[in-house]
Amino acid sequence: VIELGMPTRSVVTTCAYCGVGCSFKAELRGDELVRMVPYKDGGANEGHSCVKGRFAFGYASHPDRVLAPRMRESIADPWREVSWEEAISFTARRLREIQAAHGTSSIGAITSSRTTNEEVYAVQKMVRAVFGNNNVDTCARVCHSPTGYGLKQTFGTSAGTQDFKSVAKSDVILLIGANPTDGHPVFASRMKRRLRQGAELIVLDPRRIDLVRSPHVEAAHHLQLAPGTNVAVVNAMAHVVVTEGLVDREFVEARCEGFEEWEAFIAGPEHSPEAVEEITGVPAAELRAAARLYATGGNAAIYYGLGVTEHSQGSTMVMGMANLAMATGNIGRDGVGVNPLRGQNNVQGSCDMGSFPHELPGYRHVSEDGAREIYEQLWGTPILDEPGLRIPNMFDSAIDGSFRALFVQGEDIAQSDPNTQHVHAALAALELLVVQDLFENETAKFAHVLLPGTSFLEKDGTFTNAERRINRVRPVMAPKTGKHEWQIVCEIAQAMGYPMHYDSADQIMDEIALTTPTFAGVSFDHLDKVGSVQWPCNEKAPEGTPIMHVDGFVRGKGRFVETTYVPTRERSTRKFPLILTTGRILSQYNVGAQTRRTANVAWHPEDLLELHPHDAEVRGIADGDMVALSSRVGRTTLRAVIAERMPVGVCYTTFHHPVTGANVVTTENSDWATNCPEYKVTAVQVALAPEQ
Ligand code: SF4
């Protein structure tokens, strides 16, 4: 068999890319990974996959991988390779020295949405039990933190309501600020299947995304709104529901609270489709028709992406969608609900595991005495009852000198976070930056210690996908670095004087289950038996929970919240007359650290700027020209593409390539509740690059 080049063994594991969480059989010949075969029994994908999960795994053996720890005194010095012992004892000593000199709160950590639940849990434990503060945040801060806030306020928990299968029972799909064909391809296939069977589609997006009109699928309504006006549109849809007698009164009376106040608010004439037409650019008649379809077309489900969350009113919009779903009774059964399409493989899990500075695992606020006591007893140390620093606060505090040391796990904040110049200034101001990653990424350029990370093929643990499904990540090979990431975190904790030890990743999951009510029934043994399970999984729901809020909301009654539309302060001006919105493309993934090191790079070798033909023509720009893209905070150069799908006055790019560094132009504006950056609205100018 070996002579024929055929695989000799296989391991079932989970894709390391998007939040669909597809299961694969990794097939090996000896220790060499031959291919990834979509797993037919995978709960999320049932044998389907996309081009990233199937083919883009070569980065794990790329020569750029950092395989041994590195250190340097200053970022001007060259790296020197050191032993694990030296790297860990230096890191621990410097963290303690900095705390002694500048206070307990002067250090912190950022976790990743690409590492396992167990790895994330270990980092937040190190911060709370060893650093003695709550200065832990996750890269979900810059994508779905408004989902966490908005769904908790309205429904009581920070997660999507449905399993993916549920879409097969939807009669109407309201797709907001998401392009699943590129971002969540396997779920997009499920959605398209249902649409081909006759379900109706409403798309709310400034761009004419593929699903608006593609073979066999045509949206009933495309509400092509102006960027930044989501809340005005969703309020206008709710206004139609309320003023045209389309409220599900029985559902609202039995299951919700705050309806009467909200009804009076939303019925106000300022929320009518006619009143907001000029602001949103959506024709009032089209908006009314879409609202009627959503309210009366049968089971209506909302699916949404970062086009909802990455706004100054991201949290408001999440609550606005929840209001709409509750008012029409579209919660708590198959085919309905409010569902975030999570970008990264473990965004849901990193949030579940307590890596927000205000929440312990399971979304319990650090001020809750009962929740803190569980950890204080188990960990034998007090837990601070005040929230710690969010990522943007860490940057600001680094610049003002009160925050001095940062541990970053699997996250390239120097490329992914907005206003690159500000981020670079913050990182350069730190006394100690420790980066744990597969590669020497943009953030590592500012680091003093670079600790090698493990690829998904080397990890042992779990990822939690966008439908709350906990999937096993099984090691296909031993860590090429000699250590699991959770082991490194434990060793730093021990070197700082705190006894933190696990024999294996399943012991960490056992601790998670012991301390987190929604995970009480989860263990590696159980997952190996049943394949995967959707939380809550506990005594009340031993088989897990595919659909949430069936008999009652997690918070008891669903809560209507008044969602006043407040325009973003980012405005187009004479100097910056266009609005830039950013996103992703199918073949690439986030900052591209993984996909740029696979054959996928050939499909999208550079970031492109999409421009409407009119905007290109008035600037003398032809398809393929290099252009300068500038905003009030920065400037970069990239290639222009003339795209009919863009509306006049709006342009679009991706942020997969550091050479473009699209976040050089994005600003400090962020969501009022969570500080999620406003990546989707930046006033810019575009001109032919001077060198042409
Ligand atoms: Fe991986 Fe997402 Fe593609 Fe599935 S859809 S194979 S999880 S990238």
Side-chain angles (χ1 to χ4, degrees):
V1 172
I2 290 172
E3 280 170 12
L4 289 173
M6 295 294 286
T8 53
R9 64 186 177 100
S10 68
V11 179
V12 175
T13 190
T14 305
C15 179
Y17 287 114
C18 86
V20 176
C22 297
S23 297
F24 282 86
K25 259 196 332 189
E27 294 194 337
L28 295 106
R29 185 173 53 242
D31 282 338
E32 185 197 346
L33 181 61
V34 177
R35 63 188 176 204
M36 297 288 282
V37 179
Y39 187 50
K40 66 176 175 34
D41 293 330
N45 59 316
E46 297 174 335
H48 297 276
S49 72
C50 83
V51 65
K52 287 198 287 286
R54 185 88 190 259
F55 301 114
F57 54 82
Y59 70 87
S61 51
H62 195 279
D64 286 355
R65 276 283 300 269
V66 176
L67 297 175
R70 298 177 191 174
M71 283 171 39
R72 58 186 171 186
E73 291 305 312
S74 104
I75 61 174
D77 295 333
W79 288 112
R80 64 187 174 89
E81 259 187 26
V82 297
S83 66
W84 275 111
E85 291 69 30
E86 186 175 355
I88 285 167
S89 67
F90 173 82
T91 300
R93 178 171 58 77
R94 288 295 293 129
L95 287 168
R96 280 295 185 224
E97 283 172 358
I98 290 167
Q99 276 194 309
H102 303 288
T104 308
S105 295
S106 60
I107 67 174
I110 296 174
T111 68
S112 172
S113 293
R114 287 178 290 281
T115 51
T116 62
N117 287 320
E118 294 74 16
E119 289 164 337
V120 171
Y121 182 88
V123 173
Q124 65 85 34
K125 178 173 177 177
M126 174 177 73
V127 170
R128 296 195 158 105
V130 190
F131 293 5
N133 61 46
N134 285 310
N135 290 342
V136 59
D137 207 355
T138 162
C139 57
R141 172 70 54 208
V142 300
C143 63
H144 268 290
S145 51
T147 291
Y149 179 88
L151 294 184
K152 181 135 193 215
Q153 292 295 313
T154 48
F155 298 163
T157 195
S158 305
T161 60
Q162 311 296 119
D163 61 350
F164 290 149
K165 282 185 187 143
S166 165
V167 77
K169 298 278 172 53
S170 297
D171 301 304
V172 178
I173 296 168
L174 173 55
L175 181 64
I176 308 180
N179 184 8
T181 311
D182 276 358
H184 306 85
V186 167
F187 178 69
S189 299
R190 277 187 197 267
M191 191 181 268
K192 284 178 186 170
R193 202 179 314 148
R194 182 62 189 145
L195 293 170
R196 284 197 296 270
Q197 289 167 349
E200 299 279 13
L201 176 66
I202 303 164
V203 173
L204 180 55
D205 202 299
R207 292 193 304 155
R208 198 181 67 228
I209 59 168
D210 159 81
L211 278 169
V212 171
R213 193 171 300 121
S214 59
H216 313 297
V217 171
E218 181 157 0
H221 303 284
H222 177 203
L223 309 184
Q224 200 167 14
L225 78 174
T229 63
N230 282 339
V231 173
V233 174
V234 83
N235 281 350
M237 290 182 75
H239 175 94
V240 173
V241 168
V242 163
T243 56
E244 295 192 7
L246 306 178
V247 172
D248 183 338
R249 298 263 162 199
E250 200 181 319
F251 180 92
V252 166
E253 274 162 30
R255 302 278 310 268
C256 305
E257 64 186 23
F259 177 73
E260 282 175 14
E261 297 85 343
W262 176 79
E263 184 182 34
F265 159 80
I266 208 75
E270 69 277 19
H271 298 304
S272 75
E274 292 72 21
V276 300
E277 179 172 329
E278 198 176 323
I279 304 165
T280 65
V282 178
E286 182 94 24
L287 200 155
R288 275 191 185 277
R292 288 172 190 147
L293 176 59
Y294 175 82
T296 64
N299 287 338
I302 297 174
Y303 290 90
Y304 70 94
L306 302 181
V308 160
T309 55
E310 291 177 344
H311 286 277
S312 59
Q313 283 205 291
S315 294
T316 313
M317 180 60 183
V318 173
M319 295 188 287
M321 295 184 305
N323 290 338
L324 187 64
M326 288 189 289
T328 53
N330 279 308
I331 289 288
R333 62 177 191 280
D334 254 339
V336 299
V338 179
N339 298 289
L341 294 171
R342 307 274 189 166
Q344 299 173 56
N345 49 335
N346 203 32
V347 180
Q348 182 69 57
S350 72
C351 300
D352 299 343
M353 290 299 104
S355 55
F356 281 133
H358 65 295
E359 281 174 338
L360 295 160
Y363 302 102
R364 290 162 295 169
H365 200 275
V366 292
S367 63
E368 282 179 38
D369 293 341
R372 262 195 345 277
E373 275 163 20
I374 293 169
Y375 294 96
E376 287 173 339
Q377 277 186 11
L378 190 69
W379 296 348
T381 185
I383 306 292
L384 204 62
D385 60 0
E386 285 176 6
L389 297 174
R390 297 171 174 180
I391 291 172
N393 307 139
M394 291 180 188
F395 295 153
D396 293 344
S397 303
I399 287 170
D400 78 22
S402 56
F403 186 73
R404 300 288 185 123
L406 177 62
F407 175 89
V408 183
Q409 181 191 52
E411 172 68 359
D412 195 0
I413 48 180
Q415 188 182 337
S416 63
D417 286 35
N419 196 351
T420 305
Q421 303 80 297
H422 183 69
V423 178
H424 287 190
L427 296 178
L430 291 168
E431 273 185 50
L432 176 69
L433 176 61
V434 182
V435 168
Q436 185 171 42
D437 208 276
L438 296 175
F439 305 106
E440 187 183 345
N441 59 18
E442 297 301 298
T443 307
K445 290 178 179 162
F446 298 89
H448 306 91
V449 181
L450 178 54
L451 302 175
T454 50
S455 77
F456 78 112
L457 297 171
E458 297 144 61
K459 290 185 188 298
D460 188 10
T462 53
F463 292 149
T464 306
N465 78 353
E467 49 168 0
R468 294 170 280 103
R469 184 182 298 280
I470 306 162
N471 279 313
R472 276 286 275 125
V473 184
R474 295 186 180 85
V476 169
M477 57 188 72
K480 292 184 176 204
T481 59
K483 286 183 194 291
H484 287 293
E485 294 188 30
W486 57 264
Q487 284 176 315
I488 298 159
V489 171
C490 289
E491 288 177 20
I492 294 171
Q494 283 164 7
M496 291 180 76
Y498 178 83
M500 186 163 154
H501 175 81
Y502 302 96
D503 290 331
S504 57
D506 62 332
Q507 282 189 352
I508 305 178
M509 178 51 82
D510 290 346
E511 184 170 316
I512 295 166
L514 184 70
T515 53
T516 314
T518 44
F519 275 65
V522 182
S523 68
F524 283 15
D525 279 350
H526 185 58
L527 292 172
D528 288 342
K529 266 188 219 124
V530 300
S532 62
V533 73
Q534 288 164 274
W535 67 257
C537 173
N538 48 29
E539 254 183 27
K540 275 196 213 153
E543 309 297 320
T545 310
I547 297 176
M548 295 195 80
H549 316 299
V550 173
D551 299 318
F553 286 91
V554 168
R555 68 180 299 282
K557 295 223 164 182
R559 176 175 163 237
F560 281 91
V561 176
E562 294 180 21
T563 50
T564 302
Y565 166 65
V566 179
T568 169
R569 63 182 186 185
E570 186 74 5
R571 306 280 162 80
S572 56
T573 61
R574 186 186 284 260
K575 194 169 173 195
F576 301 111
L578 301 175
I579 295 296
L580 173 75
T581 178
T582 64
R584 299 135 215 264
I585 199 155
L586 170 64
S587 59
Q588 298 295 321
Y589 180 75
N590 285 6
V591 295
Q594 293 147 276
T595 45
R596 280 187 284 106
R597 293 181 173 93
T598 70
N600 274 23
V601 73
W603 297 11
H604 189 81
E606 59 186 335
D607 290 313
L608 302 168
L609 184 76
E610 294 186 24
L611 273 175
H612 186 273
H614 170 78
D615 293 324
E617 189 184 347
V618 297
R619 290 168 174 77
I621 295 168
D623 200 57
D625 279 347
M626 294 303 291
V627 294
L629 172 70
S630 55
S631 74
R632 63 183 163 81
V633 300
R635 179 182 185 281
T636 187
T637 305
L638 70 176
R639 194 176 306 281
V641 171
I642 313 302
E644 295 275 358
R645 68 176 177 170
M646 297 305 302
V648 173
V650 181
C651 53
Y652 171 85
T653 191
T654 54
F655 57 99
H656 302 307
H657 295 269
V659 66
T660 310
N663 283 315
V664 165
V665 300
T666 53
T667 71
E668 73 289 350
N669 292 340
S670 67
D671 174 48
W672 64 272
T674 68
N675 287 129
C676 182
E678 192 179 42
Y679 290 114
K680 302 298 185 188
V681 188
T682 306
V684 294
Q685 179 58 289
V686 179
L688 272 175
E691 52 269 31
Q692 292 206 7

